[in-house]
Amino acid sequence: MAAPHIPVPPGVSEADFADAVRQWKDIVGEPWVFTDEESVALYRDGYSPFWDEAEERVASAAIAPDATEQVQAIMRIAHEKRIPIYPISTGRNLGYGGSAPVLSGSVVLDLKRMNRVLEVSERNAYALVEPGVSYFDLYNTIEERGLKVWIDPPDPGWGSVVGNALDGGGGWTAYPFRDHFGAHCGMEVVLANGDLVRTGMGAISNSKTWQQNRWGYGPWVDGLFRQSNMGVVTKMGFHLMPRPDAYISGTATVQNEQDIVPLLDTLNLLENQHVVNGSTSIGAGGGPGGGAGGPRWTCTVPIYGPASVIRAQLDYAKAKFAQIPGSGWSETPLMTIPLTSEQMASVRQVSFAKPNLSTFSIGARSAFNPNPTSGHIWFSPIVPRTGEAMIEFYRFYQESLAEVTGGENLNFLGPIGLTNWERSLILMIMFPVTRDKAMNAKNVAAFRRWVELAGQRGWGEYRTAPAFMDDVAGTYDFNNHALRRLHETIKDGVDPNGIISAGRYGIWPKHIREA
Ligand SMILES: Cc1cc2nc3c(=O)[nH]c(=O)nc-3n(C[C@H](O)[C@H](O)[C@H](O)COP(=O)(O)OP(=O)(O)OC[C@H]3O[C@@H](n4cnc5c(N)ncnc54)[C@H](O)[C@@H]3O)c2cc1C
């Protein structure tokens, strides 16, 4: 069965939809409303585990406005006619839904054309951007103007600074900048009925400090627009890192399985003291006692800052790791920033604020990999950041593997321990997505089962693909799903006709919940 083509959104009459399309064309211009099957197919999710199947989530149409006033006018019509809308910024959310809506038949509101970098302040280290601004765009603007501030790119540089942050994405330079939602400061949001809100200090007309003080006055509402469906974000501010003078990195090694306990405790101390600010990593190798060669665990701690200061910070980190019996240590030479082009060619560029697309070479077709996958989805629960939890997760993985996979080799990769989110430990298992429907079905079932089993232990996913949004939301079940009930109450209040991104992160509007 092929992916369904949906000419009219669910619950909307043909006449109402035709009327809305006509009015939208008046607002944005005829060429920017897409209703033909070929154009709408461009919004399919190439990483969907339901590719070409009835469950694949597809749009009915798309609109690409160029200004906030156009977004407001579009939303007023959608609100009046109860047409489901799915806003995207650059729509490159591969692994988490691409540019396809969660509710099939929604109209994609494509904000790519709103791609103005509205302000970059070197002096106060912030930027204000529209949703269509990609990491490449912001990087190029800063380079052209010769400003000494860094952006924090995720691995794929073509995504949206706004869209990535709204989906809970992250990058690879220093904390706190690599937590993209955490580093934002101020938003402009179009609500379902077309009303326009600015958050934080932006709520003062003619505000002078919108990108400087995040909290503003009164209840802070920005979190309502993260991983949610409460509004359409049309501007967002971000704190930038002043370009650091230098970079240095050290790696501690330990030999025994149980050494992961003091290794993670030491890492936690160094990060919580803000001695280490770079994106750290934990490596698993060898066997217990390093029997299979090499250390059992490694921990890499990069540091950004002034040369003399980071030298002292790394020496402190080295001394702390040296307290673990039998541990080893190595370090990279200190690098002065900006790097030369030769240096830049030899490093992971996103760690030096340079966006690129090299991540897509991993797993691509090559002489060694003649049958690449069509994409990936990630099972990535957050577990306590302790060595005991890490060992428990590996045991959990081994013990549940046969049940979850039915004893078959489903080709997934991992678990990999990730420490790039401060104070969190993520144990990621990478599931392949292929064009083999039977294999995809087995992987989807395995993923769902692991979400459930992890949830029973108190471990939850921090971000997920549309196929699993309801499953993951179901694990956040304290007090009979009190958080979901609160989300629904807020949703019903700010979007009473339930038109924005129905189903995103497990939040469904009232009429769909009741149906
Ligand atoms: C190989 C590979 C590596 C990756 N590495 C990383 C990584 O290092 N870090 C990382 O974070 N991600 C990573 N990703 C995931 C993903 O590709 C990126 O997060 C990407 O930036 C998201 O796409 P986007 O920026 O175009 O966001 P969009 O697709 O535009 O937005 C994401 C979602 O947010 C919502 N949204 C977007 N804009 C708005 C708006 N204006 N108003 C309301 N709601 C909105 C929508 O629901 C949308 O679907 C990786 C993916 C792959 C395949």
Side-chain angles (χ1 to χ4, degrees), residues 475-486:
T475 64
Y476 284 74
D477 61 354
F478 170 74
N479 187 20
N480 188 25
H481 303 271
L483 182 62
R484 178 156 65 198
R485 288 185 279 117
L486 176 61

Side-chain angles (χ1 to χ4, degrees), residues 443-486:
N443 270 305
V444 166
F447 197 117
R448 292 207 165 120
R449 183 66 182 138
W450 253 330
V451 167
E452 197 180 344
L453 290 173
Q456 286 164 8
R457 294 196 183 218
W459 301 332
E461 304 286 286
Y462 76 98
R463 187 179 177 187
T464 201
F468 310 107
M469 282 178 179
D470 288 332
D471 302 272
V472 174
T475 64
Y476 284 74
D477 61 354
F478 170 74
N479 187 20
N480 188 25
H481 303 271
L483 182 62
R484 178 156 65 198
R485 288 185 279 117
L486 176 61

